[in-house]
């Protein structure tokens, strides 16, 4: 089971911030989340949303193992 | 040192501590960012981080600043959680042999923190809450340093 984390406006939109989801690939995880919640699926694919696997930013698809931490990161702003 | 804190902090005390026992440094520059009320439209600022990842990403940029500006030391303290207007949100201190490097490193680090550091910022006000994303000016501020790198 991958651990999926949503940050910023994504967690407000989805109504959750932390879930265990079983999925072999990042692409399959995206499809599954989009099938459950079309608005969330669209937001996750939106401009400026990055993905970190085990705290490392990735681009494109990637395999997930049972303990992968998948974080969806909308545009960041500190200070 | 990079640290996130849920608690209010005293920038003056941090500066005193940062300057202690430095005999060769010559220059310390600091920046303190305060939460702004925006004439009443923001009653509380809320900042979210990704613990571990956020400190790691800031650490990478602090290492870049150390190398680029030949710093002796860097301190970055950033609030997370709910912050009232007027309270410090971020404190950056840089130590170098000469003032120019210390000033520039502080400026560089703040431009990075505004638009690239893993924080998500929500403003709560009388009209509800809104997520704040980097403004075009924030990207332009950061781009100044990229231009200088590529030349």
């Amino acid at each position: 089971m991958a651990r999926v984390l949503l940050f910023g406006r994504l967690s407000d939109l989805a109504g959750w911030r932390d879930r265990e989801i079983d999925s072999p690939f990042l692409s399959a995880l995206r499809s599954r989340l989009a099938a459950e919640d079309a608005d969330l699926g669209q937001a996750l694919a939106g401009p400026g949303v990055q993905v970190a696997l085990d705290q490392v930013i990735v681009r494109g698809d990637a395999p997930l193992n049972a303990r992968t931490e998948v974080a969806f990161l909308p545009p960041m702003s500190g200070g | 040192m990079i640290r996130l804190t849920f608690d209010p902090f005293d920038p003056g005390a941090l500066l005193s501590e940062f300057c202690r026992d430095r005999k060769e440094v010559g220059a310390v520059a600091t920046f303190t960012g305060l939460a702004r009320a925006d004439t009443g439209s923001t009653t509380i600022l809320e900042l979210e981080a990704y613990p571990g990842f956020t400190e790691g990403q800031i650490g990478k940029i602090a290492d870049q600043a150390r190398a680029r500006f030949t710093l002796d030391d860097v301190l970055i303290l950033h609030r997370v959680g709910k912050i009232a207007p007027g309270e410090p949100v971020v404190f950056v201190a840089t130590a170098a042999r000469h003032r120019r490097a210390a000033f520039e490193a502080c400026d560089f680090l703040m431009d990075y923190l505004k638009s690239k550091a893993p924080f998500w910022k929500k403003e709560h006000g009388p009209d509800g809450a809104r997520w704040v994303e980097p403004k075009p000016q924030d990207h332009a501020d950061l781009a100044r340093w990229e231009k200088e790198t590529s030349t």
Side-chain angles (χ1 to χ4, degrees):
Chain A
M1 301 285 271
R3 184 174 179 214
V4 182
L5 305 177
L6 302 181
F7 289 88
R9 59 177 162 80
L10 298 174
S11 60
D12 276 2
L13 177 68
W16 55 270
R17 61 177 58 233
D18 185 343
R19 260 178 71 187
E20 304 276 329
I21 298 175
D22 194 10
S23 186
F25 284 93
L26 180 57
S27 55
L29 174 67
R30 284 178 180 282
S31 305
R32 180 157 160 195
L33 291 171
E36 276 181 20
D37 181 339
D39 290 342
L40 177 64
Q42 201 172 5
L44 295 179
V49 175
Q50 302 184 82
V51 182
L53 299 185
D54 292 327
Q55 305 205 347
V56 176
I57 300 281
V58 297
R59 286 180 176 78
D61 202 7
L64 307 178
N65 68 43
R67 289 187 185 162
T68 308
E69 185 172 277
V70 183
F72 289 95
L73 313 170
M76 302 162 177
S77 179
Chain B
M1 190 176 72
I2 316 290
R3 203 152 61 84
L4 305 183
T5 175
F6 279 94
D7 302 319
F9 60 82
D10 174 1
L14 292 171
L15 173 59
S16 297
E17 182 58 32
F18 190 75
C19 290
R20 190 191 307 268
D21 296 328
R22 295 198 190 274
K23 297 196 171 58
E24 297 298 331
V25 155
V28 167
T30 67
F31 175 85
T32 305
L34 306 179
R36 198 168 45 212
D38 286 327
T39 49
S41 67
T42 303
T43 49
I44 286 287
L45 187 65
E46 187 174 2
L47 274 156
E48 183 184 10
Y50 181 3
F53 180 74
T54 299
E55 292 95 321
Q57 295 295 106
I58 298 173
K60 283 184 197 168
I61 209 76
D63 288 345
Q64 268 186 44
R66 278 173 188 273
R68 180 168 179 167
F69 302 99
T70 324
L71 298 179
D72 287 274
D73 203 0
V74 183
L75 169 65
I76 300 173
L77 185 65
H78 209 298
R79 283 282 297 277
V80 288
K82 291 186 171 151
I83 304 160
E87 287 183 358
V89 178
V90 59
F91 180 82
V92 175
T94 54
R97 286 191 70 80
H98 300 288
R99 72 179 180 282
R100 186 68 54 212
F103 278 134
E104 288 188 350
C106 213
D107 196 14
F108 168 86
L109 286 166
M110 276 313 305
D111 283 345
Y112 165 81
L113 287 167
K114 287 301 283 189
S115 55
K116 285 273 185 272
F119 291 102
W120 296 276
K121 192 177 349 184
K122 197 181 205 179
E123 291 174 350
H124 297 266
D127 303 326
R130 58 196 175 274
W131 288 99
V132 182
E133 295 193 349
K135 299 168 183 71
Q137 185 61 51
D138 295 324
H139 292 300
D141 287 342
L142 188 61
R144 292 184 302 149
W145 304 102
E146 284 155 18
K147 262 182 237 156
E148 286 179 27
T149 312
S150 63
T151 50

